[in-house]
């Protein structure tokens, strides 16, 4: 049974005393007095809002919501079409600014016109908020009127639009709900990459799929003479940071194997899982999608290397011109969790201690105090980049027991690494020539 807050949220309202707008606060109070202790239906609340709207004044001109700017003004949600007002309210709360809306008036197609384009992350969140058993289908269009979100409900009850509003409300008011959404979305991405075969020397399938992904996320891409896939994207003035993972797996991924899940742990039914280093690939792609939403300013370069598992061959022969202006490197290829590897078994240092400490600070800012720098790491591409004079670290990416049939990955830990680096870059902790 829905509580009062959820029932109100379906119609684009918060509980009384939680509204900052005087008119909406009065409406919420009026409705809650009427429904106190009662089991009411959505239609009743919609009728109460319509009564209030009539008292406030006529609202008969389609598109009058365009007279209001959701970035600076409180929108009169009570005056919007009854089955779309909740969706619009919580989209705005989630940073998806709107211009116009229509619930379709029972004809099977509702839409929201956006004030600018949605990011892929925002589109994924909207898709996630469609209940799994819903007959509503969501589409994203760009036409002569701009960007639109379409909710087709021809095979569904119109009330299912209110279900979507309720889910969006939960996402807007509970950070844990957003975390769950993002984690599920990232798991799906990691699943896809764990299915791509590519042992050392046979990385062509991985490289081809990565090149397709990078075309949407970066400004320039190239393949060097060794077969490394290189790309860059510029976000303004600032440091040049290299993100790197390797494309090869220790051995061939068994055909027909099944990826098994228990909690946030993934394993393979046969042979290696391949999380070393498919987890690193997934993490970098996730970061490239998220960085435009941060305050990072600078250039990101990406190196997906070949033949790491057979002697770091790809990084050793990387195009030196591509990395000549790199200020710092971050490699995503360390087993376990919360390790910031700054050296190789205490014999060779990848960077000065201060560079590793920046990641510890980022962990604290992200609410993960247990990220710790260590010089007791193994061989990785970070060692090669350090030999080229680039301060480097190798970060834990959540896998364990690599190179064995017992390999596993905690995709929650992998995603934590994404959040760590997003914080590091978004807070501009790395400076040019750090």
């Amino acid at each position: 049974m829905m509580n009062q807050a959820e029932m109100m949220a379906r119609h684009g309202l918060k509980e009384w005393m939680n509204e900052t707008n005087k008119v909406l606060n009065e409406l919420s109070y009026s409705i809650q007095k009427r429904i106190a202790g009662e089991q009411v239906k959505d239609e009743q609340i919609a009728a109460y809002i319509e009564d209030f709207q009539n008292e406030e004044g006529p609202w008969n001109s389609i598109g009058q919501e365009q007279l209001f700017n959701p970035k600076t003004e409180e929108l009169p949600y009570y005056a919007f079409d009854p089955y779309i007002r909740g969706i619009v309210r919580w989209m705005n709360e989630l940073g998806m600014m709107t211009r116009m809306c229509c619930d379709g008036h029972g004809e099977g197609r509702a839409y929201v016109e956006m004030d600018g384009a949605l990011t892929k992350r925002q589109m994924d969140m909207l898709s996630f908020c469609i209940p799994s058993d819903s007959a509503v289908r969501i589409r994203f269009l760009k036409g002569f009127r701009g960007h639109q979100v379409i909710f087709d409900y021809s095979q569904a009850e119109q009330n299912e639009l209110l279900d979507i509003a309720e889910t969006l409300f939960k996402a807007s008011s509970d950070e844990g709900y957003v975390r769950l959404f993002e984690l599920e979305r990232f798991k799906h991405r990691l699943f896809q990459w764990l299915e791509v075969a590519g042992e050392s020397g046979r990385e062509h399938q991985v490289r081809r799929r990565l090149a397709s992904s990078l075309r949407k996320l970066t400004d320039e891409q190239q393949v060097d003479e060794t077969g490394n896939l290189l790309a860059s994207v510029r976000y303004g003035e600032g440091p040049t940071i290299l993100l790197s993972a390797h494309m090869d797996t220790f051995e061939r991924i068994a055909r027909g194997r099944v990826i098994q899940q228990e909690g946030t742990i993934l394993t393979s039914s046969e042979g290696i899982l391949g999380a070393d280093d498919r987890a690193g690939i997934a993490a970098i792609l996730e970061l490239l999608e998220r960085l435009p939403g941060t305050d990072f300013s600078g250039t990101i370069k990406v190196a997906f290397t070949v033949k790491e598992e057979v002697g770091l061959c790809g990084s050793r022969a990387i195009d030196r011109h591509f990395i000549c202006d790199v200020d710092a490197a971050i490699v995503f290829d360390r087993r376990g969790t919360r390790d910031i590897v700054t050296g190789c078994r205490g014999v060779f240092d990848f960077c000065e201690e201060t560079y590793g400490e920046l990641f510890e600070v980022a962990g604290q800012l992200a609410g993960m105090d247990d990220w710790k720098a260590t010089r007791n790491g193994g061989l990785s591409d970070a060692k090669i980049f350090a030999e080229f004079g680039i301060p480097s670290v190798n970060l834990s990416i959540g896998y364990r027991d690599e190179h064995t049939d017992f390999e596993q990955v905690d995709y929650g830990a992998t995603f934590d690494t994404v959040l760590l680096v997003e914080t590091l870059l978004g807070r501009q902790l790395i400076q040019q020539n750090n």
Side-chain angles (χ1 to χ4, degrees):
M1 186 175 70
M2 280 181 287
N3 60 38
Q4 190 164 269
E6 292 167 343
M7 179 59 78
M8 299 289 287
R10 292 166 67 83
H11 299 272
L13 297 172
K14 296 180 180 179
E15 290 182 291
W16 178 62
M17 296 303 292
N18 285 325
E19 290 285 13
T20 57
N21 179 278
K22 182 179 179 180
V23 176
L24 292 178
N25 200 52
E26 179 183 341
L27 171 60
S28 297
Y29 179 63
S30 174
I31 290 177
Q32 287 173 84
K33 281 204 308 183
R34 294 194 192 192
I35 69 175
E38 297 181 21
Q39 289 298 310
V40 297
K41 296 181 178 180
D42 287 307
E43 291 77 8
Q44 290 174 276
I45 292 184
Y48 296 154
I49 296 174
E50 185 177 0
D51 290 343
F52 182 86
Q53 175 186 338
N54 292 333
E55 293 172 5
E56 282 294 307
W59 185 275
N60 299 318
S61 178
I62 295 174
Q64 280 194 26
E65 58 265 36
Q66 291 189 84
L67 300 175
F68 296 83
N69 183 349
K71 295 178 182 178
T72 58
E73 300 174 90
E74 290 275 6
L75 296 183
Y77 296 103
Y78 61 86
F80 293 3
D81 289 348
Y83 291 91
I84 198 71
R85 59 168 63 105
I87 289 176
V88 174
R89 174 77 187 269
W90 310 123
M91 284 179 66
N92 285 323
E93 294 272 348
L94 287 163
M96 306 177 213
M97 299 306 171
T98 62
R99 294 181 57 219
M100 186 191 303
C101 62
C102 175
D103 69 5
H105 309 290
E107 297 297 321
R109 181 180 179 274
Y111 74 87
V112 180
E113 188 173 308
M114 305 306 302
D115 182 19
L118 293 173
T119 66
K120 186 177 186 304
R121 186 179 175 190
Q122 289 171 329
M123 289 189 285
D124 286 343
M125 175 171 284
L126 284 172
S127 300
F128 177 78
C129 287
I130 307 293
S132 58
D133 58 349
S134 174
V136 176
R137 294 294 175 263
I138 189 170
R139 294 183 290 130
F140 302 96
L141 298 182
K142 181 182 179 182
F144 72 96
R145 295 184 63 176
H147 296 266
Q148 289 187 336
V149 182
I150 309 296
F151 299 90
D152 290 316
Y153 60 93
S154 56
Q155 304 299 318
E157 295 291 334
Q158 202 172 9
N159 273 25
E160 290 193 28
L161 295 175
L162 304 180
D163 296 337
I164 298 170
E166 182 184 343
T167 307
L168 284 168
F169 163 71
K170 293 175 181 176
S172 69
S173 57
D174 183 354
E175 290 186 5
Y177 198 89
V178 176
R179 160 77 180 192
L180 175 63
F181 147 71
E182 292 187 324
L183 198 54
E184 281 298 304
R185 176 179 172 275
F186 181 73
K187 180 188 76 173
H188 178 69
R189 162 168 273 154
L190 180 55
F191 255 87
Q192 289 181 316
W193 284 104
L194 288 172
E195 296 289 5
V196 183
E199 63 270 34
S200 298
R202 297 184 177 180
E203 298 95 339
H204 53 278
Q205 184 178 352
V206 189
R207 183 167 51 238
R208 183 170 60 251
R209 290 187 60 168
L210 271 171
S212 177
S213 297
L214 290 176
R215 277 193 289 273
K216 306 170 188 175
L217 298 170
T218 58
D219 301 326
E220 299 175 347
Q221 308 83 37
Q222 68 182 84
V223 178
D224 68 13
E225 293 183 359
T226 309
N228 301 309
L229 178 58
L230 312 175
S232 61
V233 55
R234 185 177 174 84
Y235 297 102
E237 297 297 326
T240 297
I241 312 298
L242 178 68
L243 310 179
S244 182
H246 62 86
M247 293 186 285
D248 57 323
T249 55
F250 176 68
E251 60 187 34
R252 187 176 181 83
I253 294 174
R255 290 184 178 179
R257 64 89 179 270
V258 176
I259 298 176
Q260 303 161 327
Q261 178 177 352
E262 184 174 345
T264 57
I265 304 297
L266 304 180
T267 57
S268 175
S269 63
E270 178 184 356
I272 65 168
L273 176 63
D276 173 17
D277 192 23
R278 296 294 185 262
I281 288 174
I284 290 176
L285 293 177
E286 182 75 13
L287 272 166
L288 290 175
E289 281 190 0
R290 297 171 71 95
L291 279 178
T294 72
D295 292 328
F296 174 71
S297 183
T299 298
I300 295 294
K301 290 195 170 184
V302 180
F304 291 115
T305 60
V306 297
K307 299 182 181 180
E308 190 271 353
E309 298 287 7
V310 290
L312 314 177
C313 298
S315 58
R316 289 185 193 279
I318 196 171
D319 182 344
R320 295 290 293 276
H321 178 72
F322 177 75
I323 62 172
C324 68
D325 61 345
V326 170
D327 293 296
I330 305 170
V331 176
F332 296 75
D333 188 26
R334 167 70 168 178
R335 71 174 67 90
T337 61
R338 305 294 207 264
D339 281 346
I340 306 159
V341 177
T342 60
C344 181
R345 301 186 178 94
V347 176
F348 181 88
D349 293 339
F350 300 162
C351 61
E352 294 183 4
E353 289 185 5
T354 51
Y355 182 49
E357 289 168 356
L358 294 179
F359 291 81
E360 293 183 349
V361 171
Q364 294 164 8
L365 292 172
M368 299 180 287
D369 294 346
D370 48 348
W371 280 92
K372 299 299 178 186
T374 175
R375 297 197 179 277
N376 190 28
L379 291 176
S380 72
D381 285 338
K383 179 178 184 295
I384 305 304
F385 297 139
E387 289 176 350
F388 293 153
I390 302 172
S392 306
V393 298
N394 186 15
L395 299 179
S396 287
I397 203 69
Y399 64 72
R400 297 183 185 278
D401 299 319
E402 67 276 16
H403 304 176
T404 75
D405 291 358
F406 303 102
E407 184 183 9
Q408 62 177 247
V409 65
D410 182 342
Y411 66 84
T414 310
F415 190 67
D416 283 345
T417 305
V418 172
L419 298 180
L420 175 80
V421 179
E422 180 184 34
T423 302
L424 177 92
L425 298 177
R427 296 293 189 95
Q428 296 281 30
L429 296 184
I430 299 178
Q431 300 297 315
Q432 202 161 10
N433 299 317
N434 190 69

